[in-house]
Amino acid sequence: MSKQSIWRGVIPAITTPFTDDGKVDHAFLARHARIMLDAGCTGIVPLGSLGEGATLGFDEKVAIMRTLVEALDGAPVIPGIAALSTDEAVRLARAAKAVGCAGLMVLPPYVYSTDWREMGAHVSAVIAATDLPCMLYNNPLAYKTDFSPGQLAALAAEYPNVQAVKESSGDVRRIAGLKALIGDRLEILVGVDDIIVESLQMGATGWIAGMVNAFPKESVELFERASQPGGVEATAELYAWFLPTLRMDTVPKFVQLIKLAQEVAGLGSERVRAPRLVLEGAEREAALREIRAAVANRPGR
């Protein structure tokens, strides 16, 4: 599968649905993923931070990958590969290859953050574990590990299957910095919802999106408009409508907020896995006001 076909367009960081008794709801997961593709999304990224990957066991992760591969009939499934240990991350990467995933989103290890020598060794082991195309995930706010443009360039030079980076530092200057260093060697995807228009103007070509789980059609429309010449002007009204909910992707309780938006929009349940708890009280009411306003005033109504 070519670099362009995997890494372009809107790719949901899909949430993990749970049943009343806390198990993964595979039937809804498959249905939800198909809804995303029917709206124009180009692939699915499970097992990321929005997918509550840190709360899922190894076997649960493999089962989720298998469900999505079987449900999506060839559309790319690109799981997040993260674990407490390098050994487990390598085993997960190999399992992803075995069940038919199209690529990997390679994360730093959970919890442990250190220097480039150790982080570089960790991600190198995961990248080398299979021949699958890989996207490196740079999210220093969440994982306390910041892959600089130079470090990303070094990995791209050593490993031909490193094809993309999910840039979630929140600093759109990183896009220009990386392009100045290595040109178009890596596809650059945005991992922060509320800077998507700005990032596309700087040269990003894909969006690993969060609030798409609740508003898939609007997310695809925003991306498509913003990707055209004059994108800032073309998206002005739509972006203004979307920004209050897109900003929910950037706060500590983004999982709870996006799942709540899914429930209000009729595309899922707000159930989360502990230690997360569903929102309540004034925090919940404030979120509901924004979400309900978005649903009531969504474009095309």
Side-chain angles (χ1 to χ4, degrees):
M1 191 171 291
S2 72
K3 179 168 69 171
Q4 179 172 340
S5 65
I6 297 176
W7 308 117
R8 300 283 177 104
V10 181
I11 309 174
I14 201 166
T15 52
T16 301
F18 298 109
T19 60
D20 288 335
D21 59 357
K23 294 183 173 61
V24 175
D25 186 342
H26 286 270
F28 182 80
L29 175 65
R31 187 161 67 252
H32 187 210
R34 288 192 293 266
I35 289 169
M36 298 293 107
L37 293 187
D38 288 345
C41 296
T42 58
I44 296 293
V45 170
L47 310 182
S49 48
L50 180 54
E52 297 173 78
T55 72
L56 298 166
F58 187 92
D59 291 341
E60 287 182 309
K61 292 180 179 181
V62 176
I64 285 170
M65 292 189 287
R66 184 177 291 112
T67 289
L68 290 169
V69 169
E70 292 174 355
L72 298 188
D73 192 29
V77 177
I78 308 162
I81 304 298
L84 290 171
S85 71
T86 301
D87 175 71
E88 183 177 339
V90 165
R91 289 192 296 114
L92 190 61
R94 290 173 176 159
K97 168 77 173 180
V99 303
C101 291
L104 307 174
M105 180 174 74
V106 181
L107 286 73
Y110 293 133
V111 181
Y112 185 62
S113 176
T114 179
D115 57 27
W116 169 238
R117 183 176 72 91
E118 291 184 333
M119 290 296 97
H122 172 84
V123 296
S124 293
V126 177
I127 293 163
T130 77
D131 61 354
L132 288 175
C134 291
M135 172 175 61
L136 295 163
Y137 183 11
N138 186 43
N139 189 339
L141 298 177
Y143 296 105
K144 312 305 179 188
T145 296
D146 191 355
F147 295 123
S148 71
Q151 291 163 351
L152 293 170
L155 289 168
E158 184 170 359
Y159 299 100
N161 61 323
V162 173
Q163 295 186 353
V165 57
K166 177 184 175 184
E167 175 52 54
S168 296
S169 67
D171 183 357
V172 296
R173 292 173 296 182
R174 289 293 185 94
I175 298 173
L178 191 56
K179 282 186 169 293
L181 193 60
I182 58 173
D184 294 328
R185 168 64 182 84
L186 294 178
E187 296 284 343
I188 301 175
L189 295 90
V190 186
V192 182
D193 278 359
D194 68 348
I195 59 169
I196 178 58
V197 172
E198 298 88 332
S199 297
L200 290 174
Q201 294 298 303
M202 292 297 293
T205 57
W207 181 15
I208 309 298
M211 194 53 77
V212 66
N213 284 277
F215 299 106
K217 291 181 181 179
E218 294 84 358
S219 297
V220 170
E221 183 177 355
L222 180 67
F223 181 90
E224 290 178 347
R225 287 193 198 178
S227 299
Q228 301 302 315
V232 173
E233 294 78 13
T235 61
E237 186 175 350
L238 179 59
Y239 206 21
W241 166 81
F242 219 165
L243 272 172
T245 51
L246 292 179
R247 291 186 181 115
M248 293 179 180
D249 180 57
T250 67
V251 297
K253 293 185 181 178
F254 71 111
V255 176
Q256 293 93 318
L257 287 162
I258 290 173
K259 281 191 161 183
L260 180 60
Q262 283 182 249
E263 184 162 305
V264 174
L267 288 178
S269 164
E270 67 173 318
R271 285 189 289 267
V272 290
R273 179 171 280 185
R276 290 182 177 87
L277 301 172
V278 297
L279 301 175
E280 62 180 21
E283 185 177 34
R284 178 187 176 84
E285 289 306 312
L288 282 171
R289 282 193 295 273
E290 294 283 11
I291 295 165
R292 287 170 177 161
V295 170
N297 298 300
R298 65 198 310 170
R301 283 185 65 90

